[in-house]
């Protein structure tokens, strides 16, 4: 069991109250993974004040030099990648190969934004007036607050922290209290690499105190949040009261359309990956597969057969496809939605059961579920479940499939399986989603291009890729006469 600290003003410290909380391995709840300070509003205010004090000094480090610190941090994290991945599997539950992939992504993010340090460019524009030059350049905002969920415990803290810091802001980072360990490892690497003391702070504790203070504190100029729609909506309202800048990435009800001309085996692989890997706990996971009627039976049979073969278990073991739900609450939600689906008239073709015997006895496991006879208006076809539950909806033709795909409040990611270029472009053009995949899983994005959704899934500017710094900077427009 690891005894962890927060990082405030460049020091690893406990909560002033001395209070703590623990995390447990969701695959083996007898194991306490780590103990953390249960910080409160006053600890958080200290972190914000430290960030405020340190920001000018950090911003004075030339941006390419800040980038060099990121390259070093990437190297440090790389040297620890395997142990960080194992910690992620023990605390969050995803399989070890998935955890390794995520740590690799965090390393790539550090390198990518390290490079951005040399590319924080502005523009030069002609003036209406003689001998006047107009130029724009980026300035940091000051202190920014970063609030992360548990399901990508290092990638999301990295893809918020890196653009915030490279732009010259100071940071107060709050990881989810369900899985803070990898965020601590990220901060350790950045600190050891030489980030100015106080410019990067990490505060662990509940959203209702630590998160609330970040959102309401007048010194925090911008808040980048990833998490549930309910929490995000509340944050947007609070932040609006004091006109703080907000970026929200929230839920999804992502569709994959399988058209009649798709290669069935390939489509099954795409859908199984998108729906069930990472236990369906990805914001971009497919939770609705919309199948054109001529291949509905063939596709559904192959899907069910493949789903039944998935191995559920402790993600540290070789050969496991799906780990546990993050906690008992999330597992209950999964099982509850399977029940709701049945009450609404859906048929559970496979899975949807609590697994609690033998190797599953001490974890939050359930078997991956495929639900058929699903109507578009059913709750299981409309609401985010965030677990290994997939609904199958029939579509009369391509237009009907796109209409069904768009018939939800969310619009994060969407996929289509087809061999037709025309159908692919129709889909790309008409689908209401920020991330669009053709013959690829709806989940599985890359680190160097913009990420975000439309409708109820997102609010504000995009994360990741070259545009990520837009959220963390403001432009100064300079008029210069010579
Ligand atoms: P959550 O909303 O419960 O928590 C997210 C974070 O907000 C946590 O750090 C939490 O402590 C904090 N928080 C809670 N209440 C707060 C408050 N009042 N003020 C400030 N902060 C508060 O979400 P979760 O359960 O950790 O994550 C799962 C959700 O995240 C799912 O809905 C999923 O779709 C979404 N998600 C979205 C994306 C995306 O990019 N769109 C990525 C990953 C996860």
């Amino acid at each position: 069991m690891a005894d962890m600290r927060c990082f405030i003003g460049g020091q690893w410290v406990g909560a002033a109250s001395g209070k703590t909380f623990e995390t447990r391995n969701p695959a083996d709840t007898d194991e306490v993974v780590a103990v953390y300070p249960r910080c409160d509003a006053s600890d958080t205010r200290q972190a914000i004040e430290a960030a405020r004090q340190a920001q000018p000094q950090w911003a004075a480090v030339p941006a390419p030099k800040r980038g060099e610190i990121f390259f070093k941090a990437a190297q440090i994290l790389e040297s620890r990648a395997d142990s960080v991945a194992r910690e992620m599997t023990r605390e969050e539950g995803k399989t070890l190969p998935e955890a390794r992939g995520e740590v690799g992504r965090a390393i790539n993010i550090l390198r990518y934004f390290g490079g951005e340090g040399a590319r924080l460019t502005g523009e030069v524009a002609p003036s209406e007036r003689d001998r006047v030059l107009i130029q724009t350049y980026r300035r940091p905002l000051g202190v920014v607050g970063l609030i992360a969920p548990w399901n990508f415990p290092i990638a999301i803290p990295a893809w918020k922290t890196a653009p915030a810091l490279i732009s010259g802001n100071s940071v107060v980072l709050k990881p989810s209290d369900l899985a803070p360990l990898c965020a601590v490892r990220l901060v350790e690497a950045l600190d050891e690499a030489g980030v100015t003391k106080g410019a990067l702070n990490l505060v662990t504790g509940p959203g209702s105190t630590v998160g609330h203070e970040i959102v309401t504190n007048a010194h925090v100029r911008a808040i980048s949040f990833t998490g549930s729609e309910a929490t995000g909506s509340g944050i947007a309202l609070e932040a609006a009261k004091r006109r703080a800048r907000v970026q929200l990435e929230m839920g999804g009800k992502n569709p994959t359309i399988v058209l009649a001309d798709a290669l069935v085996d390939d489509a099954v692989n795409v859908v199984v990956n998108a729906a069930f890997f990472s236990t369906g706990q990805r914001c971009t996971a497919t939770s609705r597969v919309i199948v054109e009627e001529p291949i509905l039976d063939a596709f559904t049979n192959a899907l069910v057969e493949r789903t039944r073969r998935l191995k559920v278990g402790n993600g540290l073991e070789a050969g496991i496809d799906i780990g546990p739900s993050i906690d008992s609450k999330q597992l209950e939600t999964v099982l509850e939605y399977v029940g709701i689906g049945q009450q609404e008239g859906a048929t559970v073709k496979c899975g949807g059961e609590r697994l609690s015997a033998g190797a599953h006895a001490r974890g939050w496991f359930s078997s991956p579920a495929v639900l058929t006879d699903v109507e578009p208006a059913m709750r299981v076809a409309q609401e985010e479940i965030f677990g290994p539950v997939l609904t199958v909806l029939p579509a009369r033709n391509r237009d009907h499939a796109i209409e069904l795909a768009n018939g939800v409040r969310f619009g994060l990611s969407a996929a289509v399986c087809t061999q037709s270029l025309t159908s692919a472009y129709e889909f790309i053009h008409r689908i209401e989603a920020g991330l669009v995949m053709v013959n690829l899983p709806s989940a599985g994005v890359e680190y160097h291009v913009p990420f975000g959704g439309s409708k109820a899934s997102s609010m504000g500017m995009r994360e990741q890729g070259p545009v990520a710094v837009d959220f963390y900077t403001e432009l100064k427009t300079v008029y210069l006469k010579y």
Side-chain angles (χ1 to χ4, degrees):
M1 182 197 71
D3 188 12
M4 307 311 292
R5 296 279 179 274
C6 281
F7 195 55
I8 298 178
Q11 302 292 325
W12 292 99
V13 294
S17 68
K19 289 186 182 163
T20 59
F21 67 97
E22 64 183 28
T23 55
R24 283 176 184 261
N25 183 340
D28 177 358
T29 52
D30 284 353
E31 184 195 357
V32 176
V33 177
V35 175
Y36 302 91
R38 179 182 285 276
C39 293
D40 57 18
S42 105
D43 299 304
T44 313
R45 274 195 291 276
Q46 257 191 41
I48 294 168
E49 182 52 28
R52 208 167 71 84
Q53 300 280 344
Q55 193 268 332
Q57 199 189 330
W58 172 242
V61 177
K65 294 275 177 218
R66 296 200 289 266
E68 283 170 23
I69 293 173
F70 279 32
F71 297 143
K72 201 165 161 199
Q75 218 166 20
I76 293 169
L77 197 55
E78 204 160 40
S79 70
R80 299 169 187 169
D82 198 60
S83 80
V84 176
R86 281 172 189 282
E87 287 179 331
M88 187 186 305
T89 296
R90 284 170 50 226
E91 194 170 67
E92 197 272 353
K94 66 181 63 182
T95 66
L96 193 52
E98 287 171 334
R100 286 193 177 117
E102 190 184 330
V103 175
R105 183 165 167 189
I107 293 163
N108 283 339
I109 288 168
L110 289 175
R111 294 213 166 103
Y112 176 82
F113 283 106
E116 285 300 282
R119 286 189 291 267
L120 290 171
T121 51
E123 290 181 336
V124 177
S127 169
E128 293 174 323
R129 289 164 283 182
D130 185 38
R131 290 173 184 258
V132 171
L133 195 67
I134 306 177
Q135 57 194 162
T136 63
Y137 72 106
R138 291 181 185 278
R139 301 295 303 145
L141 300 175
V143 179
V144 299
L146 311 178
I147 301 177
W150 48 265
N151 64 331
F152 285 100
I154 196 160
I156 293 179
W159 86 48
K160 292 182 188 299
T161 302
L165 281 179
I166 203 68
S167 306
N169 299 287
S170 56
V171 164
V172 178
L173 168 65
K174 182 217 169 308
S176 163
D177 32 5
L178 293 177
L181 191 45
C182 294
V184 174
R185 300 304 182 215
L186 173 73
V187 170
E188 284 171 352
L190 281 161
D191 174 50
E192 286 169 40
V195 170
T196 301
K197 297 282 181 198
L200 175 58
N201 301 270
L202 173 129
V203 189
T204 53
S208 55
T209 50
V210 174
H212 185 75
E213 181 62 31
I214 290 173
V215 172
T216 53
N217 191 297
H219 296 302
V220 178
R221 290 278 321 276
I223 301 130
S224 177
F225 166 84
T226 301
S228 65
E229 192 195 1
T231 310
S233 303
I235 287 176
L237 290 174
E238 282 295 340
K241 287 185 198 162
R242 59 181 189 85
R243 292 172 302 286
R245 196 181 276 199
V246 171
Q247 173 181 62
L248 307 175
E249 287 298 341
M250 301 172 286
K253 190 69 187 172
N254 311 297
T256 295
I257 293 176
V258 181
L259 293 178
D261 68 350
L263 301 171
V264 170
D265 286 350
D266 290 1
V268 167
N269 283 335
V270 160
V271 170
V272 164
N273 173 318
F276 298 127
F277 288 7
S278 298
T279 324
Q281 298 178 140
R282 292 183 285 188
C283 50
T284 47
T286 286
S287 62
R288 298 177 295 145
V289 58
I290 300 166
V291 189
E292 220 179 336
E293 274 162 7
I295 60 158
L296 180 64
D297 289 344
F299 175 84
T300 308
N301 290 340
L303 172 71
V304 169
E305 195 264 326
R306 176 88 172 75
T307 303
R308 283 204 174 109
R309 281 194 279 127
L310 293 172
K311 284 185 82 174
V312 180
N314 186 328
L316 284 178
E317 289 167 19
I320 294 297
D321 298 303
I322 303 180
S325 289
I326 180 75
D327 63 1
S328 60
K329 217 170 117 219
Q330 190 58 46
L331 177 63
E332 274 164 32
T333 304
V334 166
L335 300 174
E336 203 177 298
Y337 267 104
V338 173
I340 290 169
Q342 284 173 308
Q343 282 162 21
E344 290 177 310
T347 304
V348 180
K349 278 284 193 187
C350 66
E353 285 161 348
R354 167 94 206 249
L355 301 173
S356 51
H360 298 126
R362 294 194 304 274
W364 308 121
F365 296 105
S366 66
S367 49
V370 176
L371 273 59
T372 58
D373 302 315
V374 174
E375 296 290 335
M378 289 180 179
R379 285 182 61 193
V380 283
Q382 290 289 331
E383 297 171 13
E384 183 179 57
I385 301 172
F386 221 56
V389 181
L390 176 64
T391 56
V392 183
L393 294 112
R396 292 186 297 279
N397 51 41
R398 185 184 68 205
D399 286 350
H400 185 216
I402 295 175
E403 188 188 313
L404 289 174
N406 285 339
V408 294
R409 295 168 42 253
F410 297 106
L412 185 56
S413 183
V416 68
C417 295
T418 180
Q419 294 189 80
S420 154
L421 194 60
T422 304
S423 292
Y425 265 101
E426 273 299 308
F427 172 81
I428 291 168
H429 189 61
R430 287 162 54 191
I431 194 70
E432 295 164 357
L435 304 162
V436 183
M437 313 289 181
V438 179
N439 297 317
L440 288 167
S442 62
V445 295
E446 301 192 23
Y447 65 90
H448 55 300
V449 286
F451 176 93
S454 54
K455 303 203 284 190
S457 291
S458 298
M459 195 185 115
M461 297 177 203
R462 290 285 187 256
E463 300 200 77
Q464 303 192 70
V467 297
V469 293
D470 289 348
F471 178 74
Y472 296 103
T473 54
E474 56 194 7
L475 290 177
K476 243 179 205 175
T477 308
V478 180
Y479 294 80
L480 190 150
K481 179 151 176 69
Y482 61 94

